Amino acid sequence: MWKVKLLEELSSRELLAVLRLRIDTFVVEQTRIYHEVDDYDEVAYHIFYQTEHGVEAYARVFQLDDHVTFGRVVIKESLRGTGQGKALMNHVLATCHNHFPNQPIIIESQEQVVPFYEKFGFETIGAAFIFEGTPHVEMKLE
């Protein structure tokens, strides 16, 4: 079932499942050592797909200065390539438009997933940069 919740609306089990998926992917699988939990978690809308097997897809959406952004986009490894990423992005974009209408969406994308975001109309802006040890680019959707 798809859910969209603020931090204070998450149950302790939902939060644990979300953090488990994020850490398993961004810290363990990608072998990156950084602060996975940050202050944006407190103000973000947390979008996730949860089954009896746990959280299988996740992203967070929040306001940043004069635009909306999203990140921590993740699909459980065993479900990648099944269309779950497209479903997640549809929920992410709907959340952006519903809660932050008429605002540009600017993200910092890992370079290897730029083609995925381009399918949704995002365009690369600026040069590549290293963030938390991983090459990223800024992308924008009007």
Side-chain angles (χ1 to χ4, degrees):
M1 170 188 313
W2 284 102
K3 300 177 183 182
V4 179
K5 295 184 174 187
L6 294 169
L7 180 65
E8 59 270 15
E9 298 170 328
L10 292 170
S11 73
S12 57
R13 292 197 182 272
E14 288 171 332
L15 179 59
L16 180 63
V18 161
L19 293 177
R20 181 175 287 127
L21 177 61
R22 285 172 39 176
I23 291 168
D24 284 350
T25 303
F26 299 122
V27 177
V28 177
E29 180 186 329
Q30 295 183 358
T31 60
R32 297 167 59 212
I33 298 173
Y34 74 107
H35 292 285
E36 173 48 36
V37 178
D38 60 27
D39 293 340
Y40 297 122
D41 285 315
E42 294 184 47
V43 297
Y45 286 93
H46 300 271
I47 303 158
F48 57 103
Y49 184 76
Q50 187 172 27
T51 70
E52 65 275 3
H53 303 293
V55 171
E56 298 180 346
Y58 171 86
R60 65 183 187 180
V61 172
F62 55 95
Q63 176 85 36
L64 188 60
D65 301 322
D66 61 348
H67 64 276
V68 62
T69 191
F70 62 84
R72 302 299 201 265
V73 177
V74 59
I75 303 296
K76 187 175 179 179
E77 187 175 16
S78 62
L79 296 174
R80 294 178 195 156
T82 65
Q84 191 70 309
K86 181 179 179 182
L88 174 59
M89 279 303 300
N90 289 333
H91 282 84
V92 165
L93 294 175
T95 301
C96 290
H97 296 302
N98 291 338
H99 294 282
F100 307 100
N102 304 315
Q103 291 192 34
I105 302 169
I106 300 175
I107 62 171
E108 293 178 348
S109 168
Q110 291 185 8
E111 279 190 332
Q112 74 267 14
V113 291
V114 165
F116 174 74
Y117 293 122
E118 288 175 336
K119 292 177 185 177
F120 293 91
F122 283 86
E123 296 180 358
T124 300
I125 55 174
F129 60 95
I130 302 297
F131 179 71
E132 303 290 3
T134 304
H136 281 70
V137 295
E138 199 169 55
M139 301 187 80
K140 185 174 185 177
L141 179 67
E142 288 290 344

